[in-house]
Amino acid sequence: MRACLLRATAAIETNPLEYADVAMPQPKGDEVLVRVRACGVCRTDLHVIEGELPPRKSPVVPGHQVVGLIEKQGENARRFAVGSRVGIAWLRQTDGTCEYCRSGAENLCDNPVFTGYSVDGGYAEYIVAPQDFVYAIPEGFHDEQAAPLLCAGIIGFRSLRLSGVKAGARLGFYGFGAAAHVAIQVARHWGVEVHASTRDARHQKLALELGAAWAGSTFDEPPKKLDAAIVFAPAGEIVPAALKALKKGGTLVLGGIHMSPIPSFDYQLLYQERVIRSVANNTRKDGEDFLRVAAEIPIRTHVQIFPLREANCALNALKNDAIPGAAVLRVGE
Ligand SMILES: [Zn+2]
Ligand SMILES: [Zn+2]
């Protein structure tokens, strides 16, 4: 089969993904084999490719927002019928036995397996995954539109949950890429007012089109104090600026897997019971709850589609803020 293979970490400007022929995976035990139709491009893929996350497998096929059809199943896989449309996300497997898994926090598992990082991902024609970590994709979404729901969508949703916002709250977004453009639709559906701070004018425009009450540059202070804010951009220098925009008792959620160092800041920015917390992965319940809500609203993702062989091109565009919404690779005909 064809796949985009990363042999060694490198800057994306050097186009390190090789469009290559690789052996097709075979489903064993409780695994399903999925024929990939679309795979979303996530900033985490960029962190894997550029080595900001230490390599776990090499060579590796990136990609963890996979939508496709079940083609074949292992001998113990019966959850889905062959032909079902399913999604595969970042958290591919957990041990099920550590203290985190046992307490309902499988997103913090001590022995996790990640799609497109510790095992091969969805920048490929086929992928295998254990059936219990596969999601049914609701009808009503095209394959390409569903793909960004699987990480951008789910992580944005978990970030919203951890921000604690309710109807009537004022919420700030720092960075307005794939995750934020989905999260704003959920927040608006909940009756939350959204203020978007992002350096790119195209992203500010998209935020306003999607119902933001205000959009400005990253370091412009929003016109009103915020009940909570979510930082989606991987830039640590945003943290003090975002804290400054929060009300007393406000929560700042850091939504990324990687962030440049956070500069030191005055304790006064944190005092008055402001809270900073990160988001790590998601539970399967987050994913299932989100996909249900996404179909109810319904979420409309803005996608820019690239053929699989042009994954380097999609990632370069992502790095340059040139994607309004989400980049998605189309796989197969
Ligand atoms: Zn565990
Ligand atoms: Zn992701």
Side-chain angles (χ1 to χ4, degrees), residues 233-306:
E237 64 268 24
I238 292 174
V239 171
L243 276 175
K244 204 173 164 196
L246 286 187
K247 283 187 196 170
K248 289 185 266 191
T251 297
L252 181 60
V253 177
L254 309 182
I257 192 169
H258 169 82
M259 183 177 256
S260 59
I262 300 171
S264 68
F265 54 83
D266 197 282
Y267 179 59
Q268 278 305 116
L269 288 181
L270 185 61
Y271 185 59
Q272 302 289 8
E273 304 198 342
R274 293 178 183 90
V275 173
I276 304 179
R277 64 175 307 168
S278 65
V279 174
N281 316 312
N282 65 275
T283 64
R284 280 171 281 178
K285 186 169 187 320
D286 290 322
E288 282 156 12
D289 290 350
F290 168 67
L291 289 171
R292 194 169 48 244
V293 170
E296 276 167 20
I297 293 177
I299 297 281
R300 288 285 166 246
T301 51
H302 292 235
V303 297
Q304 189 169 336
I305 297 168
F306 298 78

Coordinates of all heavy atoms in Angstrom, one line a residue, residues 233-306:
A233 N -2.6 27.8 20.7 CA -1.3 28.0 20.0 C -0.2 27.5 20.9 O -0.3 27.5 22.1 CB -1.1 29.5 19.8
P234 N 0.9 26.9 20.3 CA 1.9 26.2 21.1 C 3.0 27.2 21.6 O 4.1 26.9 21.7 CB 2.5 25.2 20.1 CG 2.3 25.9 18.8 CD 1.1 26.7 18.8
A235 N 2.6 28.4 21.9 CA 3.5 29.5 22.3 C 3.4 29.9 23.7 O 2.4 30.5 24.1 CB 3.3 30.7 21.3
G236 N 4.4 29.6 24.5 CA 4.4 29.8 26.0 C 4.2 31.3 26.3 O 3.7 31.6 27.4
E237 N 4.7 32.2 25.5 CA 4.6 33.6 25.8 C 3.1 34.1 25.8 O 2.9 35.2 26.3 CB 5.4 34.5 24.9 CG 5.0 34.5 23.4 CD 5.7 33.4 22.6 OE1 6.1 32.4 23.1 OE2 5.8 33.6 21.3
I238 N 2.2 33.3 25.3 CA 0.8 33.7 25.4 C 0.2 33.5 26.8 O -0.7 34.2 27.2 CB 0.0 32.8 24.4 CG1 0.3 33.2 23.0 CG2 -1.5 33.0 24.6 CD1 -0.3 32.3 22.0
V239 N 0.8 32.7 27.6 CA 0.3 32.3 28.9 C 0.1 33.6 29.8 O -1.0 33.8 30.4 CB 1.1 31.2 29.6 CG1 0.6 31.0 31.1 CG2 0.9 29.9 28.8
P240 N 1.2 34.4 30.0 CA 0.9 35.6 30.9 C -0.1 36.6 30.3 O -0.9 37.1 31.0 CB 2.3 36.3 30.9 CG 3.3 35.2 30.5 CD 2.5 34.3 29.6
A241 N -0.1 36.7 29.0 CA -1.1 37.6 28.3 C -2.5 37.1 28.6 O -3.4 37.9 28.8 CB -0.8 37.7 26.8
A242 N -2.7 35.8 28.5 CA -4.0 35.2 28.7 C -4.4 35.3 30.1 O -5.6 35.6 30.4 CB -4.0 33.8 28.2
L243 N -3.5 35.1 31.0 CA -3.8 35.3 32.5 C -4.3 36.7 32.8 O -5.2 36.9 33.5 CB -2.6 35.0 33.3 CG -2.3 33.5 33.7 CD1 -1.0 33.5 34.4 CD2 -3.4 32.9 34.5
K244 N -3.7 37.6 32.1 CA -4.0 39.1 32.3 C -5.4 39.4 31.9 O -6.1 40.3 32.4 CB -3.0 39.9 31.5 CG -2.8 41.3 32.0 CD -1.7 42.0 31.2 CE -1.8 43.5 31.5 NZ -1.0 44.2 30.5
A245 N -5.9 38.6 30.9 CA -7.3 38.8 30.4 C -8.4 38.2 31.3 O -9.5 38.4 31.0 CB -7.4 38.3 29.0
L246 N -8.0 37.3 32.2 CA -8.9 36.6 33.0 C -9.5 37.4 34.2 O -8.8 38.1 34.9 CB -8.3 35.3 33.6 CG -8.0 34.1 32.7 CD1 -7.5 33.0 33.6 CD2 -9.2 33.7 31.9
K247 N -10.8 37.1 34.5 CA -11.4 37.6 35.7 C -10.8 36.9 36.9 O -10.1 35.8 36.8 CB -12.9 37.2 35.8 CG -13.7 38.1 34.9 CD -15.2 37.7 35.2 CE -16.1 38.1 34.2 NZ -17.5 37.5 34.4
K248 N -11.0 37.4 38.1 CA -10.7 36.6 39.4 C -11.3 35.3 39.3 O -12.5 35.2 38.9 CB -11.1 37.4 40.6 CG -10.3 38.7 40.8 CD -10.7 39.4 42.1 CE -11.8 40.4 41.8 NZ -12.0 41.3 43.0
G249 N -10.6 34.2 39.7 CA -11.2 32.9 39.8 C -11.3 32.2 38.4 O -11.8 31.1 38.3
G250 N -10.8 32.9 37.4 CA -10.9 32.4 36.0 C -9.9 31.2 35.8 O -8.9 31.1 36.4
T251 N -10.3 30.4 34.8 CA -9.5 29.2 34.4 C -8.8 29.4 33.1 O -9.5 29.8 32.1 CB -10.4 27.9 34.4 OG1 -10.9 27.8 35.7 CG2 -9.6 26.7 34.0
L252 N -7.5 29.1 33.0 CA -6.8 29.1 31.7 C -6.4 27.6 31.4 O -5.7 27.0 32.2 CB -5.5 29.9 31.9 CG -4.6 30.0 30.7 CD1 -5.4 30.7 29.5 CD2 -3.4 30.8 30.9
V253 N -6.9 27.2 30.3 CA -6.7 25.8 29.8 C -5.7 25.8 28.7 O -5.8 26.6 27.7 CB -8.0 25.2 29.3 CG1 -7.8 23.8 28.8 CG2 -9.1 25.2 30.4
L254 N -4.6 25.0 28.8 CA -3.6 24.9 27.8 C -3.9 23.6 27.0 O -3.8 22.5 27.5 CB -2.2 24.8 28.4 CG -1.9 26.0 29.4 CD1 -0.5 25.9 29.9 CD2 -2.2 27.3 28.8
G255 N -4.3 23.8 25.7 CA -4.9 22.7 24.9 C -3.9 21.9 24.1 O -4.3 20.9 23.5
G256 N -2.6 22.3 24.1 CA -1.7 21.6 23.2 C -0.8 20.5 23.9 O -0.7 20.5 25.2
I257 N -0.2 19.6 23.1 CA 0.6 18.6 23.6 C 2.1 19.1 23.8 O 2.9 18.5 24.6 CB 0.6 17.4 22.7 CG1 1.3 16.1 23.3 CG2 1.3 17.7 21.3 CD1 1.1 14.9 22.5
H258 N 2.4 20.2 23.2 CA 3.7 20.8 23.3 C 3.6 22.3 23.3 O 2.7 22.9 22.7 CB 4.5 20.4 22.0 CG 5.8 21.1 21.9 ND1 7.0 20.8 22.6 CD2 6.1 22.2 21.2 CE1 7.9 21.6 22.3 NE2 7.4 22.5 21.4
M259 N 4.4 23.0 24.0 CA 4.4 24.4 24.1 C 5.8 24.9 24.3 O 6.6 24.3 25.0 CB 3.5 24.9 25.3 CG 3.3 26.4 25.4 SD 2.2 26.8 26.7 CE 0.7 27.3 25.7
S260 N 6.2 26.0 23.7 CA 7.5 26.6 23.9 C 7.5 27.1 25.4 O 6.5 27.2 26.0 CB 7.7 27.8 23.0 OG 6.8 28.7 23.1
P261 N 8.7 27.3 26.0 CA 8.8 27.6 27.4 C 7.9 28.8 27.8 O 7.8 29.8 27.0 CB 10.3 27.9 27.6 CG 11.0 27.1 26.6 CD 10.1 27.2 25.4
I262 N 7.3 28.7 29.0 CA 6.5 29.8 29.5 C 7.4 30.8 30.2 O 8.1 30.4 31.1 CB 5.4 29.2 30.4 CG1 4.5 28.2 29.7 CG2 4.6 30.4 31.0 CD1 3.6 27.5 30.5
P263 N 7.4 32.1 29.8 CA 8.2 33.0 30.5 C 7.8 33.2 32.0 O 6.6 33.0 32.3 CB 8.1 34.3 29.7 CG 6.9 34.1 28.9 CD 6.6 32.7 28.7
S264 N 8.7 33.7 32.8 CA 8.3 33.9 34.2 C 7.3 35.1 34.2 O 7.4 36.0 33.3 CB 9.5 34.1 35.1 OG 10.1 35.3 34.7
F265 N 6.4 35.1 35.2 CA 5.5 36.3 35.3 C 5.2 36.6 36.7 O 5.5 35.7 37.6 CB 4.2 36.0 34.5 CG 3.5 34.7 34.8 CD1 2.7 34.6 35.9 CD2 3.7 33.5 34.1 CE1 2.0 33.4 36.3 CE2 3.1 32.3 34.4 CZ 2.3 32.3 35.5
D266 N 4.6 37.7 37.0 CA 4.4 38.2 38.3 C 3.2 37.4 38.9 O 2.2 37.1 38.3 CB 4.0 39.7 38.2 CG 4.1 40.3 39.6 OD1 3.2 40.1 40.4 OD2 5.1 41.0 39.8
Y267 N 3.4 37.0 40.2 CA 2.4 36.2 40.9 C 1.0 36.9 40.9 O 0.0 36.2 40.9 CB 2.8 36.0 42.3 CG 1.9 35.2 43.2 CD1 1.5 33.9 42.8 CD2 1.3 35.7 44.3 CE1 0.6 33.2 43.6 CE2 0.4 35.0 45.1 CZ 0.1 33.7 44.7 OH -0.8 33.0 45.5
Q268 N 1.0 38.2 40.8 CA -0.3 38.9 40.7 C -1.2 38.4 39.6 O -2.4 38.5 39.7 CB -0.1 40.4 40.6 CG 0.2 41.1 41.9 CD -0.8 40.8 43.0 OE1 -0.5 40.2 44.0 NE2 -2.0 41.3 42.7
L269 N -0.6 38.0 38.5 CA -1.4 37.5 37.4 C -2.1 36.2 37.7 O -3.2 35.9 37.1 CB -0.5 37.2 36.1 CG 0.1 38.5 35.4 CD1 0.9 38.0 34.2 CD2 -1.0 39.4 35.0
L270 N -1.6 35.4 38.6 CA -2.2 34.1 39.0 C -3.0 34.3 40.2 O -4.1 33.5 40.4 CB -1.1 33.1 39.2 CG -1.5 31.7 39.4 CD1 -2.3 31.1 38.3 CD2 -0.3 30.8 39.7
Y271 N -2.6 35.2 41.1 CA -3.3 35.3 42.4 C -4.8 35.7 42.2 O -5.2 36.0 41.0 CB -2.6 36.5 43.2 CG -3.2 36.6 44.6 CD1 -3.2 35.5 45.5 CD2 -3.8 37.8 45.0 CE1 -3.8 35.7 46.8 CE2 -4.4 38.0 46.3 CZ -4.3 36.9 47.1 OH -4.9 37.0 48.4
Q272 N -5.6 35.6 43.2 CA -7.1 35.7 43.1 C -7.7 34.5 42.5 O -8.7 34.5 41.8 CB -7.5 37.0 42.3 CG -7.0 38.3 42.8 CD -7.6 38.7 44.1 OE1 -8.4 38.0 44.7 NE2 -7.3 39.9 44.6
E273 N -7.0 33.3 42.8 CA -7.6 32.0 42.5 C -7.8 31.7 41.1 O -8.7 31.0 40.7 CB -8.9 31.8 43.3 CG -8.7 32.0 44.8 CD -9.8 31.4 45.7 OE1 -10.9 31.1 45.2 OE2 -9.5 31.2 46.9
R274 N -6.9 32.4 40.2 CA -6.9 31.9 38.8 C -6.2 30.6 38.8 O -5.4 30.2 39.6 CB -6.2 33.0 38.0 CG -7.0 34.3 37.9 CD -6.2 35.3 37.1 NE -7.0 36.6 37.1 CZ -6.8 37.6 38.0 NH1 -5.9 37.4 39.0 NH2 -7.6 38.7 38.0
V275 N -6.6 29.8 37.8 CA -6.2 28.4 37.7 C -5.6 28.2 36.3 O -6.1 28.7 35.3 CB -7.3 27.4 37.8 CG1 -6.9 26.0 37.5 CG2 -7.9 27.5 39.2
I276 N -4.4 27.5 36.2 CA -3.9 27.1 34.9 C -3.9 25.6 34.9 O -3.4 25.0 35.8 CB -2.4 27.6 34.7 CG1 -2.3 29.1 34.8 CG2 -1.9 27.1 33.3 CD1 -0.8 29.5 34.7
R277 N -4.4 25.0 33.8 CA -4.3 23.6 33.7 C -4.1 23.1 32.2 O -4.5 23.8 31.3 CB -5.6 22.9 34.3 CG -6.9 23.2 33.5 CD -8.0 22.4 34.1 NE -7.7 21.0 34.1 CZ -8.4 20.1 34.8 NH1 -9.5 20.5 35.5 NH2 -8.1 18.8 34.8
S278 N -3.5 22.0 32.1 CA -3.3 21.5 30.7 C -4.4 20.4 30.4 O -5.1 20.0 31.2 CB -1.9 20.8 30.6 OG -1.8 19.7 31.5
V279 N -4.4 20.1 29.1 CA -5.3 19.0 28.6 C -4.4 17.9 28.0 O -3.5 18.2 27.2 CB -6.2 19.5 27.5 CG1 -7.0 18.4 26.9 CG2 -7.1 20.6 28.1
A280 N -4.6 16.7 28.5 CA -3.8 15.6 27.9 C -4.7 14.5 27.3 O -5.4 13.9 28.0 CB -2.9 15.0 29.0
N281 N -4.6 14.4 26.0 CA -5.3 13.3 25.3 C -6.9 13.4 25.6 O -7.3 14.5 26.0 CB -4.8 11.9 25.7 CG -3.3 11.9 25.8 OD1 -2.7 12.4 24.8 ND2 -2.7 11.4 26.8
N282 N -7.5 12.3 25.5 CA -9.0 12.3 25.8 C -9.4 10.9 26.2 O -8.7 9.9 25.8 CB -9.8 12.8 24.6 CG -9.7 11.9 23.5 OD1 -8.8 11.9 22.7 ND2 -10.7 10.9 23.3
T283 N -10.5 10.8 26.9 CA -11.1 9.5 27.2 C -12.0 9.1 26.0 O -12.4 10.0 25.3 CB -11.9 9.5 28.5 OG1 -13.0 10.4 28.3 CG2 -11.1 10.0 29.7
R284 N -12.3 7.9 25.9 CA -13.2 7.5 24.9 C -14.6 8.1 25.1 O -15.3 8.4 24.1 CB -13.3 5.9 24.8 CG -12.2 5.3 24.1 CD -12.2 3.8 24.2 NE -11.6 3.4 25.5 CZ -11.6 2.1 25.9 NH1 -12.0 1.2 25.2 NH2 -11.1 1.9 27.1
K285 N -14.9 8.3 26.3 CA -16.2 9.0 26.6 C -16.2 10.4 26.1 O -17.3 10.8 25.5 CB -16.5 9.0 28.1 CG -17.9 9.5 28.4 CD -18.3 9.2 29.9 CE -19.7 9.6 30.1 NZ -20.2 10.8 29.5
D286 N -15.1 11.1 26.2 CA -15.1 12.5 25.6 C -15.4 12.4 24.1 O -16.1 13.2 23.6 CB -13.6 13.1 25.7 CG -13.3 13.4 27.1 OD1 -14.1 13.9 27.9 OD2 -12.1 13.3 27.5
G287 N -14.7 11.4 23.5 CA -14.9 11.2 22.0 C -16.3 10.9 21.6 O -16.9 11.5 20.7
E288 N -16.9 10.0 22.4 CA -18.3 9.6 22.0 C -19.2 10.7 22.3 O -20.1 11.0 21.5 CB -18.6 8.3 22.8 CG -18.0 7.1 22.1 CD -17.8 5.9 23.1 OE1 -18.3 5.9 24.2 OE2 -17.1 5.0 22.7
D289 N -19.1 11.4 23.4 CA -20.0 12.5 23.8 C -19.8 13.6 22.7 O -20.8 14.2 22.3 CB -19.6 13.1 25.2 CG -20.0 12.2 26.3 OD1 -20.6 11.2 26.0 OD2 -19.5 12.5 27.4
F290 N -18.6 13.9 22.3 CA -18.4 15.0 21.4 C -19.0 14.6 20.0 O -19.7 15.5 19.4 CB -16.9 15.3 21.2 CG -16.6 16.2 20.0 CD1 -17.1 17.5 20.0 CD2 -16.0 15.7 18.9 CE1 -16.9 18.3 18.9 CE2 -15.9 16.5 17.7 CZ -16.3 17.8 17.8
L291 N -18.8 13.4 19.5 CA -19.3 13.1 18.2 C -20.9 13.2 18.2 O -21.5 13.6 17.2 CB -18.8 11.7 17.8 CG -17.4 11.6 17.4 CD1 -16.9 10.2 17.2 CD2 -17.1 12.4 16.2
R292 N -21.5 12.8 19.3 CA -22.9 13.0 19.4 C -23.3 14.4 19.4 O -24.2 14.8 18.6 CB -23.4 12.3 20.8 CG -24.9 12.1 20.8 CD -25.3 11.2 22.0 NE -24.7 11.7 23.2 CZ -23.8 11.0 23.9 NH1 -23.4 9.8 23.5 NH2 -23.3 11.5 25.1
V293 N -22.7 15.3 20.1 CA -23.0 16.7 20.1 C -22.7 17.3 18.7 O -23.5 18.1 18.3 CB -22.1 17.4 21.2 CG1 -22.2 18.9 21.1 CG2 -22.5 17.0 22.6
A294 N -21.6 16.9 18.1 CA -21.2 17.4 16.8 C -22.3 17.1 15.8 O -22.6 18.0 14.9 CB -19.9 16.8 16.3
A295 N -22.9 16.0 15.9 CA -24.0 15.6 14.9 C -25.3 16.4 15.3 O -26.0 16.8 14.4 CB -24.3 14.1 15.0
E296 N -25.5 16.6 16.6 CA -26.7 17.3 17.0 C -26.7 18.8 16.5 O -27.7 19.3 16.1 CB -26.8 17.3 18.5 CG -27.5 16.1 19.1 CD -27.3 16.0 20.6 OE1 -27.0 17.0 21.2 OE2 -27.4 14.9 21.1
I297 N -25.5 19.4 16.6 CA -25.5 20.9 16.4 C -26.0 21.3 15.0 O -26.8 22.2 15.0 CB -24.1 21.5 16.8 CG1 -23.8 21.3 18.3 CG2 -23.9 22.9 16.3 CD1 -22.4 21.7 18.7
P298 N -25.6 20.9 13.9 CA -24.4 20.0 13.6 C -23.2 21.0 13.4 O -23.4 22.1 12.8 CB -24.8 19.3 12.3 CG -25.8 20.3 11.6 CD -26.4 21.1 12.7
I299 N -22.0 20.4 13.7 CA -20.8 21.1 13.5 C -20.5 21.1 11.9 O -20.8 20.2 11.3 CB -19.6 20.4 14.1 CG1 -19.8 20.4 15.7 CG2 -18.3 20.9 13.7 CD1 -19.4 21.6 16.4
R300 N -20.0 22.3 11.5 CA -19.6 22.3 10.1 C -18.1 22.6 10.1 O -17.7 23.7 10.4 CB -20.4 23.4 9.3 CG -21.8 23.0 9.0 CD -21.9 22.0 7.9 NE -23.2 21.4 7.8 CZ -23.4 20.1 8.1 NH1 -22.5 19.3 8.4 NH2 -24.7 19.6 8.0
T301 N -17.3 21.7 9.7 CA -15.8 22.0 9.6 C -15.5 22.6 8.3 O -16.1 22.3 7.3 CB -15.0 20.7 9.8 OG1 -15.5 19.7 8.9 CG2 -15.2 20.1 11.2
H302 N -14.5 23.5 8.4 CA -14.0 24.2 7.2 C -12.7 23.4 6.8 O -11.8 23.4 7.6 CB -13.7 25.6 7.4 CG -14.9 26.5 7.6 ND1 -15.2 27.6 6.9 CD2 -15.9 26.3 8.5 CE1 -16.4 28.1 7.3 NE2 -16.8 27.3 8.3
V303 N -12.7 22.8 5.7 CA -11.5 21.9 5.4 C -10.9 22.3 4.1 O -11.5 22.8 3.1 CB -11.9 20.4 5.4 CG1 -12.4 20.0 6.7 CG2 -12.9 20.1 4.3
Q304 N -9.5 22.2 4.1 CA -8.8 22.4 2.9 C -8.2 21.0 2.5 O -7.5 20.4 3.4 CB -7.7 23.4 3.0 CG -7.0 23.8 1.7 CD -6.1 25.0 1.9 OE1 -6.3 25.8 2.8 NE2 -5.1 25.1 1.0
I305 N -8.5 20.5 1.4 CA -8.2 19.1 1.1 C -7.0 19.0 0.2 O -6.8 19.7 -0.7 CB -9.4 18.4 0.4 CG1 -10.6 18.4 1.4 CG2 -9.1 17.0 -0.1 CD1 -11.9 18.0 0.8
F306 N -6.1 18.0 0.6 CA -4.9 17.7 -0.2 C -4.9 16.3 -0.5 O -5.3 15.5 0.4 CB -3.6 18.1 0.7 CG -3.4 19.5 1.1 CD1 -4.2 20.0 2.1 CD2 -2.5 20.3 0.4 CE1 -4.0 21.4 2.5 CE2 -2.3 21.6 0.8 CZ -3.1 22.2 1.8

